[in-house]
Amino acid sequence: MPAIPAYPPHSAPRLYIDAELSEGADIRLDGPHAHYLLKVMRIKHGDPVKLFDDRTGEYLAHASALGKRDLILAIEGKTRDREAVPDLWLCTAPVKKDRFNWIVEKATELGVARIVPVQTERTQTPGLKPEKLRAHMIEAAEQCERTALPSLDPLTKLTALLESWPADRHLFFADERIHATGEGSFRKALVAHDGPAAILIGPEGGFSDAENAMIRALPRSVPVSLGPRILRADTAALAAVSLWMAGRGDWTPA
Ligand code: SAM
């Protein structure tokens, strides 16, 4: 018995639509979305397209009318509800542009709920381009089949972040100084601390002594080691988020 090909094919284009979607609705696309579907993916009448809205979930649609620079997609039905996003924030000092884009992309793929760029004493990166970061986030979510986008905060001073820290949220503070002390086992920290969480990663130059003390003074601060080597900030962010997702996130099948 030949295997019945899955429908929609895995290769069907998948797009984020920044508007609430619903079964039976028609949506008209123009601009970059239309260009991508018509010129890059060269979709034909009746071809399937998957859509998600970061509000209600993911839907299957098909091309019902094609123009030169716009098209109509007819939404057939919902394929998935919006995912239950693991309650993890990534608070990280911006590093050089390309690497920070990479952090945002990877954090999105790994499933974080919120990304907070943190201004620290040694942050070297002048400004962020939120729209560019959001575009990387959307592209990553489209590719990894997320149905939700992380929220992206504006650049936030470390002092302001800590002053308004939620009482119920653990802050796993990646401290590159503690490995030698034998303190900071991430595995033990994950076992000991469940519930809403955040990971804090410093800039290329690390946190200052004053910042280190300020972070540790937070009641919910949990200093953790990422091993004996000094990792680049982007490597540290990826490693810490992965550890948390495996230990407390949604990587373990329910
Ligand atoms: N101050 C470091 C040094 O001595 O060169 C550089 C900081 S490192 C490039 C950037 C950030 O990654 C650190 O602030 C820390 O948050 C995290 N990090 C890097 N390696 C780590 C490790 N082995 N354990 C815990 N955190 C680490």
Side-chain angles (χ1 to χ4, degrees):
M1 177 74 150
I4 299 168
Y7 185 80
H10 199 70
S11 58
R14 187 170 186 276
L15 291 177
Y16 166 66
I17 302 293
D18 189 7
E20 184 161 326
L21 300 173
S22 59
E23 297 189 7
D26 282 348
I27 66 164
R28 178 181 171 277
L29 298 180
D30 57 9
H33 275 151
H35 176 79
Y36 171 69
L37 292 175
L38 294 169
K39 307 292 184 222
V40 178
M41 300 305 287
R42 297 185 175 285
I43 66 166
K44 300 282 175 289
H45 189 277
D47 281 357
V49 179
K50 287 189 275 187
L51 305 170
F52 71 100
D53 60 8
D54 185 27
R55 294 163 175 83
T56 59
E58 179 190 77
Y59 297 79
L60 178 62
H62 67 268
S64 63
L66 303 180
K68 275 202 177 316
R69 290 188 182 76
D70 67 350
L71 71 157
I72 304 282
L73 295 178
I75 298 180
E76 296 167 25
K78 181 187 270 192
T79 50
R80 284 187 292 159
D81 285 330
R82 184 180 186 274
E83 69 206 49
V85 182
D87 193 359
L88 177 67
W89 300 351
L90 173 60
C91 306
T92 180
V95 289
K96 290 185 182 60
K97 188 171 64 74
D98 292 350
R99 285 185 177 273
F100 197 66
N101 291 343
W102 189 87
I103 289 177
V104 167
E105 179 183 276
K106 297 312 158 198
T108 300
E109 289 176 60
L110 293 173
V112 305
R114 182 178 179 191
I115 297 173
V116 184
V118 182
Q119 174 84 37
T120 66
E121 285 175 34
R122 298 174 185 165
T123 297
Q124 294 159 12
T125 311
L128 295 175
K129 291 193 169 56
E131 275 321 298
K132 282 237 187 275
L133 291 175
R134 187 163 162 77
H136 282 283
M137 206 183 265
I138 289 169
E139 197 176 328
E142 288 172 341
Q143 174 274 326
C144 73
E145 304 206 340
R146 280 193 76 164
T147 55
L149 294 175
S151 61
L152 176 64
D153 282 47
L155 188 59
T156 306
K157 284 194 182 318
L158 177 63
T159 44
L161 181 74
L162 297 179
E163 276 159 13
S164 59
W165 194 260
D168 68 341
R169 188 172 293 273
H170 287 108
L171 176 58
F172 291 79
F173 159 42
D175 182 353
E176 72 277 11
R177 310 183 191 186
I178 58 171
H179 188 77
T181 68
E183 199 199 343
S185 159
F186 210 123
R187 187 176 47 76
K188 287 183 188 154
L190 286 171
V191 170
H193 305 297
D194 63 353
I199 285 163
L200 177 61
I201 304 288
E204 290 94 338
F207 292 105
S208 69
D209 292 347
E211 288 174 332
N212 192 294
M214 190 167 47
I215 299 162
R216 283 170 169 271
L218 199 72
R220 289 275 176 162
S221 170
V222 184
V224 288
S225 168
L226 294 172
R229 288 163 289 280
I230 299 295
L231 309 177
R232 283 182 182 276
D234 42 348
T235 314
L238 185 72
V241 170
S242 299
L243 283 168
W244 189 92
M245 281 294 170
R248 285 285 177 189
D250 61 0
W251 287 10
T252 310

